[in-house]
Amino acid sequence: MLWLVGSVLIIAYALVPVLWIASLSFKGGDDINNQQFLPSALSLENYRIVLSSDLFLTALRNSVGMSLIATLTSVVVATLAAYAVARLDFPGKRLVLGVALMITVFPIISIATPLFNLWRTVGLFDTWPGLIIPYLSFSIPLSVYVLSAFFREIPWEMEQAAQVDGATSWQAFRRVIVPLAAPGVFTAAILTFFMIWNDFVFGITLTSSEAARPVPAALAFFSGASQFSQPTAPIAAASVIVTIPVVVLVLLFQQRIVAGLTNGAVKG
């Protein structure tokens, strides 16, 4: 019974703020001052404001583009690196994994200002590469740490059997090892995508215009229909829109994500 009560409380704690934002996004005009949970009348006014805003649409394009590029690059590089860490014996192997774990928990805000100064000097400030590079610096170590656990669990004999049958090392890796590690690859990709999609610190620090500013940072500059209107409800509508891709990805790949998280935790 206590487990049930605890579960309900945790779910309510997590869902109530989300439901409140969703409800707020459907409040139009003066209804925003309505203290009730549900809007007096459903209105799509805030969504029309957001979807007609160049600021939001440009930021959405930036977020989608940079998230896909950084996620694909991170997963490819991390897959190769994690395979090497799992299969090869070399000095400093444990140190590599330790450093990778250390980087994943390193406070991003501590390097934001140095990067700001460096990027202005080298010409990467307010550009896609100027954001993608820091994203990769944090996402690749995370992916390496996650994927190395999966590669260690794959029997070495399966790769050797493929090579005995005539496959090269690259063919055995691509056709045998990677498919077996698919749950881990999906897990690393989803975690990387979520981390980049939700980034605010780099987005607000390393940009100064709409050229490369992602959605989380752009929402801080959102002003609604006019400079005199309260932007709370339009920001809520924008938050609902940018949450949809996350929800869709989780629903589509939930089985792979769960399999990836549980398989990776079997043994280290």
Side-chain angles (χ1 to χ4, degrees), residues 207-265:
T207 62
S208 61
S209 69
E210 300 177 13
R213 184 177 290 142
V215 169
L219 292 182
F221 298 91
F222 201 74
S223 58
S226 68
Q227 59 180 337
F228 303 105
S229 62
Q230 194 175 13
T232 306
I235 290 177
S239 301
V240 172
I241 292 175
V242 299
T243 303
I244 292 175
V246 176
V247 175
V248 171
L249 285 175
V250 171
L251 292 178
L252 288 178
F253 301 113
Q254 59 180 334
Q255 292 183 346
R256 289 185 178 272
I257 295 174
V258 172
L261 292 174
T262 54
N263 289 344

Side-chain angles (χ1 to χ4, degrees), residues 78-88 148 151 156 159 169 173 177:
T79 300
L80 298 174
Y83 173 79
V85 170
R87 292 304 197 200
L88 303 179
S148 60
F151 286 124
W156 180 250
E159 185 175 3
S169 298
F173 171 75
I177 301 301

Side-chain angles (χ1 to χ4, degrees), residues 79-80 83 151 154 170-185:
T79 300
L80 298 174
Y83 173 79
F151 286 124
I154 297 176
W170 170 248
Q171 289 174 332
F173 171 75
R174 181 168 56 89
R175 297 181 180 180
V176 178
I177 301 301
V178 172
L180 291 174
V185 174

Side-chain angles (χ1 to χ4, degrees), residues 45-81:
E45 174 187 351
N46 298 312
Y47 290 93
R48 285 193 292 267
I49 293 173
V50 169
L51 294 177
S52 62
S53 169
D54 292 336
L55 172 65
F56 177 78
L57 295 178
T58 302
L60 186 61
R61 181 201 65 192
N62 292 337
S63 285
V64 171
M66 290 187 293
S67 296
L68 291 178
I69 292 173
T71 299
L72 179 61
T73 304
S74 175
V75 169
V76 171
V77 174
T79 300
L80 298 174

Side-chain angles (χ1 to χ4, degrees), residues 104-135:
T104 60
V105 299
F106 194 81
I108 295 178
I109 191 65
S110 63
I111 65 171
T113 300
L115 272 180
F116 171 81
N117 296 324
L118 177 61
W119 271 196
R120 286 176 65 89
T121 302
V122 301
L124 289 177
F125 182 74
D126 202 22
T127 63
W128 277 31
L131 285 174
I132 292 175
I133 293 173
Y135 291 157

